[in-house]
Amino acid sequence: MTIAVHVHDQHVGGAQDTFRDDVIHGLAAAPKALSPKHFYDARGSRLFEAICAQPEYYLTRTEEGILAAAVDEIAALVGPDTLLVELGSGASRKVRRLLEALRPSRYLGVDISRDFLLQSTRRLAADYPWLEVHAAWGDYSAGVRMPPSLAGRRAMAFFPGSSIGNFTPAEAEAFLSRLRRALPPGSGVLIGVDLVKARDRLEAAYNDAAGITAAFNLNLLERMRHELGAEVELAAFAHRAVFNEAASCIEMHLVSRRRQAIVVDGRRFAFAAGETLHTENSCKYRLEDFQALAARAGYRSGAVWLDDQALFSVHYLVDH
């Protein structure tokens, strides 16, 4: 049996050229910084799946528990025959529960990692032969573009994992505003949002004892070396993840252990000892603060679900 996935290439320019340009711009910046979207090459995507299984990383299992308890209520709110759009589809594990409860006629997975996206959507197409499966390879953080064949269909965007926290609050508001404009009128968003909690619980989640998050962070340098021919010594950098209480945000960095340089395309980017490359933010919210942010983006709160310990939240947002 042929497994059909409708593939939409929405990547702007060559993937390697985009990565190269972003790396050069990020290393030249002050302070040095790079978008977390570049973590997700094939190896990075596999490492992230391993992070989700670590005992310290409460986010995935907590969100999955919330979805399991709320899925019938979610299905009733969303209604039948809705296009289900998953942003950052990854392994598409959480979405299976929604597919079984909602029974949408069409599914669109959007991800920046082409190989991982194709693997996951092909598995979905094989496991759900009644479902029309689409895969859009592209950077959803820059804006979601609906394929012409799916335009105009009432949709629900699924944005799990607290990936909204990778944006600053201002960026998150702008992202939700763009998403609202991209989706047909009457569409909704089901979104996972991590909540503010004790510093030790937060920092442990991003500094797992097995060192998987450290490997995930350092893989960014390995990707530079493999794809761009960069001159960089991985052992000369260390992983650091700390909670910035003032910004309500976990900050992840690669810290230079000594004075050194990264060389890309003949350009030398010097690091002082202790200088960092800021690789990720993971912002944490209070319920009322996130709901206010969503309202500024044009959404009202349709429903919100929490786990028993109020570690994590899942919001159903409805277009005003």
Side-chain angles (χ1 to χ4, degrees):
M1 182 181 70
T2 301
I3 298 170
V5 173
H6 306 271
V7 180
H8 310 273
D9 184 349
Q10 298 184 342
H11 207 90
V12 179
Q16 190 179 80
D17 291 342
T18 300
F19 181 45
R20 185 185 307 275
D21 291 345
D22 286 357
V23 165
I24 290 172
H25 183 267
L27 291 176
K32 296 177 174 68
L34 196 59
S35 168
K37 69 185 180 184
H38 294 303
F39 282 133
Y40 298 99
D41 64 349
R43 182 170 183 261
S45 295
R46 290 193 299 271
L47 283 168
F48 183 72
E49 290 303 309
I51 288 170
C52 293
Q54 298 310 302
E56 300 93 337
Y57 198 78
Y58 60 87
L59 291 87
T60 300
R61 63 178 177 271
T62 306
E63 184 176 37
E64 288 177 346
I66 294 170
L67 290 171
V71 70
D72 290 340
E73 190 177 349
I74 293 167
L77 286 168
V78 175
D81 198 31
T82 298
L83 166 65
L84 182 55
V85 180
E86 186 177 15
L87 306 178
S89 57
S92 294
R93 205 172 49 238
K94 295 171 189 170
V95 81
R96 289 172 176 265
R97 196 177 297 275
L98 294 178
L99 289 172
E100 289 158 10
L102 273 67
R103 299 283 296 193
S105 57
R106 293 166 179 82
Y107 164 87
L108 171 65
V110 186
D111 204 283
I112 198 169
S113 177
R114 185 178 186 275
D115 292 344
F116 215 62
L117 172 69
L118 294 179
Q119 290 169 18
S120 63
T121 51
R122 284 168 181 159
R123 283 195 297 268
L124 288 179
D127 293 344
Y128 301 101
W130 48 266
L131 182 66
E132 184 180 305
V133 177
H134 294 254
W137 175 44
D139 178 10
Y140 65 79
S141 68
V144 174
R145 287 180 289 156
M146 298 299 293
S149 60
L150 300 177
R153 293 186 173 276
R154 188 172 65 88
M156 185 190 77
F158 180 44
F159 195 29
S162 200
S163 295
I164 193 71
N166 293 154
F167 300 110
T168 66
E171 290 168 344
E173 182 182 332
F175 169 78
L176 288 174
S177 294
R178 289 194 300 271
L179 181 61
R180 185 176 61 82
R181 292 193 297 270
L183 298 175
S187 299
V189 180
L190 188 68
I191 184 168
V193 180
D194 199 16
L195 301 177
V196 175
K197 57 187 67 65
R199 173 187 291 272
D200 58 349
R201 187 72 180 266
L202 286 169
E203 292 188 349
Y206 295 84
N207 293 282
D208 57 275
I212 307 298
T213 308
F216 176 69
N217 201 7
L218 287 161
N219 185 61
L220 193 55
L221 301 179
E222 178 59 40
R223 188 180 174 197
M224 290 182 198
R225 189 159 62 180
H226 175 70
E227 294 186 25
L228 307 181
E231 297 174 32
V232 53
E233 184 181 346
L234 270 66
F237 286 87
H239 164 75
R240 178 192 292 166
V242 294
F243 183 54
N244 180 336
E245 193 165 351
S248 193
C249 187
I250 284 280
E251 293 183 356
M252 204 151 79
H253 296 259
L254 289 166
V255 185
S256 181
R257 298 179 184 271
R258 55 175 171 78
R259 186 178 177 185
Q260 59 176 314
I262 295 177
V263 179
V264 183
D265 284 356
R267 296 184 60 177
R268 186 176 184 276
F269 301 96
F271 281 78
E275 187 177 359
T276 77
L277 174 62
H278 187 174
T279 54
E280 184 179 60
N281 286 327
S282 187
C283 294
K284 313 302 175 184
Y285 287 91
R286 293 174 178 81
L287 280 179
E288 61 273 19
D289 293 338
F290 182 76
Q291 288 172 331
L293 183 156
R296 293 193 297 272
Y299 283 106
R300 63 175 176 83
S301 178
V304 61
W305 301 271
L306 306 174
D307 60 286
D308 291 343
Q309 298 180 64
L311 298 175
F312 198 91
S313 60
V314 174
H315 300 248
Y316 182 59
L317 305 177
V318 182
D319 187 349
H320 278 329

